[in-house]
Amino acid sequence: MQPIIIVLIILVVLVFIALVKTIQVIPQASAAIVERFGRYTRTLNAGLNIVVPFIDSIRNRIDLREQVVPFPPQPVITQDNLVVNIDTVIYYQVTDARAATYEVASYIQAIEQLTVTTLRNIIGGMDLERTLTSREEINAALRGVLDEATGKWGIRVNRVELKAIEPPTSIQDSMEKQMRADRDKRAAILQAEGVRQSEILRAEGEKQSSILRAEGEAKAAALKAEGEAQAIRTVFESIHAGDADQKLLAYQYLQMLPKIAEGDANKLWIVPSEIGDALKGLSGAMGNFGPMGGGSGGFNPQAPGKSVPEADSAKERREQPPID
């Protein structure tokens, strides 16, 4: 009985192992390479798959999702003989599981070495300044070379990114000094532009203020002159409307003489030439209304002590030519 039980147990174990080897479950976004007696047979896709136990074997399981592989910093010499360390990141995806298994021994190592050599070729034709400012150009060139070379390996390179570009320490110090000088220069230029703009605005404000002040003074002078002209016109019209004679005008003129002499600064008083005419008119008015009440006994300023008719007769006698 015991040998039979042992045989049955062995058969059960063999059946279980055969079932396990026969049924293969492949996860989503994965693939498996099947070999029969060491030769490629087929590729198992995601899902439930049946293989022949003890004849077919699973060679490799490959993840078909996009992979991200960072590579360590690599020393690269630029065109101006400066050594820079460049970190790269590769985004790739396996598109053909069979080619990725049989066309290259280790596609990760192959991609890394190809990336380093291609990067050195690209950076070797650029100087440091162009290298620091041309990341997109370097990424595009590197991706094109890698995608072309890895196509036969069943690999598609989606993106290549430069994580960091580290120049030597001495170059970094020089770049920092240059950037500091550029920032100081830009700050000085901006400050000068601000001062210049401020001075321009202040000058424009003073100009506008002067123009407005001059316009105001001109309008005030015009209004003042117009007011004085209107006052003179009103006085003139009032005098003509009142029909004032020469005697009244002379009397008003004499009344204005004390106002002309007013003021503490008046050291010299110049008598106008019209004072004689005013006195003449005033004397005529006083002669008409003299003590005798007659109109011919007025005061004569040209002949003191004589009346106006007597002065006129004396003037006529002087003007008569002598009789031969």
Side-chain angles (χ1 to χ4, degrees):
M1 291 293 297
Q2 290 181 354
I4 297 176
I5 295 175
I6 294 174
V7 172
L8 291 176
I9 293 174
I10 293 174
L11 290 176
V12 170
V13 171
L14 290 176
V15 170
F16 179 78
I17 293 174
L19 290 176
V20 170
K21 289 183 174 293
T22 302
I23 301 174
Q24 297 290 332
V25 178
I26 306 300
Q28 183 66 33
S30 297
I33 301 299
V34 178
E35 292 180 350
R36 179 171 294 177
F37 300 114
R39 184 177 181 180
Y40 171 76
T41 302
R42 59 192 175 109
T43 301
L44 301 181
N45 296 320
L48 182 63
N49 296 273
I50 305 297
V51 296
V52 179
F54 306 107
I55 296 177
D56 295 339
S57 61
I58 303 297
R59 167 70 185 272
N60 191 15
R61 296 178 183 267
I62 298 176
D63 193 346
L64 300 180
R65 295 174 297 178
E66 185 175 10
Q67 305 293 320
V68 180
V69 179
F71 295 145
Q74 298 295 329
V76 181
I77 301 177
T78 61
Q79 188 178 9
D80 46 358
N81 296 325
L82 294 175
V83 180
V84 295
N85 293 322
I86 301 180
D87 298 349
T88 55
V89 178
I90 304 297
Y91 297 82
Y92 73 93
Q93 186 176 9
V94 177
T95 57
D96 188 353
R98 186 194 65 80
T101 303
Y102 296 105
E103 296 295 334
V104 61
S106 175
Y107 56 84
I108 297 296
Q109 185 177 2
I111 292 175
E112 181 181 1
Q113 296 301 319
L114 184 59
T115 300
V116 172
T117 54
T118 306
L119 190 61
R120 288 176 178 174
N121 291 333
I122 296 174
I123 300 300
M126 297 181 178
D127 55 9
L128 179 60
E129 184 176 358
R130 185 182 175 187
T131 302
L132 296 175
T133 58
S134 304
R135 292 198 177 192
E136 293 297 331
E137 181 181 354
I138 296 173
N139 293 337
L142 190 59
R143 179 184 177 277
V145 174
L146 290 177
D147 195 21
E148 182 180 359
T150 58
K152 63 179 180 179
W153 299 340
I155 306 294
R156 183 177 68 243
V157 178
N158 297 325
R159 285 180 298 173
V160 179
E161 298 291 340
L162 300 182
K163 289 176 59 178
I165 301 176
E166 298 180 359
T169 306
S170 59
I171 301 299
Q172 291 182 6
D173 296 337
S174 300
M175 293 173 60
E176 290 179 0
K177 293 179 181 179
Q178 182 180 1
M179 288 189 297
R180 189 180 302 110
D182 291 339
R183 286 194 297 267
D184 295 340
K185 177 182 176 181
R186 288 195 297 268
I189 292 174
L190 291 176
Q191 185 177 2
E193 288 291 337
V195 173
R196 175 175 173 270
Q197 190 67 23
S198 176
E199 293 295 334
I200 291 174
L201 294 176
R202 185 181 296 108
E204 290 181 353
E206 292 177 355
K207 176 183 176 182
Q208 294 294 331
S209 177
S210 300
I211 292 174
L212 294 176
R213 189 181 300 110
E215 291 179 353
E217 292 176 355
K219 290 182 180 179
L223 292 176
K224 182 178 180 182
E226 185 178 355
E228 292 178 354
Q230 185 66 29
I232 293 172
R233 191 180 300 110
T234 303
V235 172
F236 183 77
E237 291 177 356
S238 300
I239 292 173
H240 280 275
D243 196 13
D245 55 0
Q246 184 66 26
K247 301 173 184 179
L248 178 59
L249 296 177
Y251 179 71
Q252 293 291 333
Y253 187 81
L254 290 176
Q255 283 186 339
M256 291 298 297
L257 289 179
K259 295 183 178 180
I260 297 176
E262 288 180 355
D264 297 336
N266 292 334
K267 303 299 183 181
L268 180 63
W269 184 31
I270 300 175
V271 179
S273 60
E274 291 85 357
I275 189 62
D277 296 335
L279 292 175
K280 186 188 295 184
L282 184 59
S283 63
M286 293 177 64
N288 292 332
F289 299 95
M292 300 302 294
S296 61
F299 174 74
N300 186 4
Q302 298 178 358
K306 296 182 182 182
S307 61
V308 175
E310 292 176 356
D312 294 338
S313 61
K315 183 178 181 182
E316 290 175 359
R317 286 195 299 271
R318 286 195 302 271
E319 292 177 355
Q320 290 178 359
I323 300 174
D324 296 334

